[in-house]
Amino acid sequence: MKYRHCDGKLVLKVTDNKECLKFKTDQAQDAKKMEKLNNLFFTLMSRGPDADLSEVTGKEQTEAQPGKKGRGRKQ
């Protein structure tokens, strides 16, 4: 992962010595997405292709949390 302050660009580069994937952005909101993508790549590299990716993505946590119904005060 590389960040160039003068250009305001963030680049994530992943390779397996056969293919090279790059994700480039200049949007600040994409930084969180790139962090999640980087965590997925680390998990796949360390645990292999049979790894449980739901631990990394946190999808089980968001499904388990109840949604908020309103913004006003309780009556």
Side-chain angles (χ1 to χ4, degrees):
M1 190 178 283
K2 182 193 286 187
Y3 177 71
R4 289 189 46 132
H5 181 70
C6 60
D7 297 335
K9 294 192 181 201
L10 185 62
V11 178
L12 176 64
K13 181 179 175 182
V14 180
T15 183
D16 65 353
N17 294 331
K18 293 179 186 175
E19 287 187 65
C20 180
L21 302 174
K22 279 189 179 181
F23 182 78
K24 298 179 185 181
T25 186
D26 59 355
Q27 303 295 316
Q29 63 194 17
D30 288 340
K32 195 70 159 177
K33 292 177 188 177
M34 289 185 71
E35 183 180 353
K36 288 181 182 180
L37 182 61
N38 199 20
N39 287 338
L40 283 172
F41 282 129
F42 276 129
T43 302
L44 288 172
M45 285 190 313
S46 62
R47 298 182 191 169
D50 298 330
D52 183 18
L53 297 179
S54 63
E55 296 174 5
V56 179
T57 58
K59 290 191 177 188
E60 291 178 348
Q61 294 174 354
T62 56
E63 291 173 357
Q65 293 176 350
K68 293 184 179 179
K69 298 213 175 192
R71 292 186 159 197
R73 61 185 170 118
K74 287 186 177 181
Q75 294 181 356

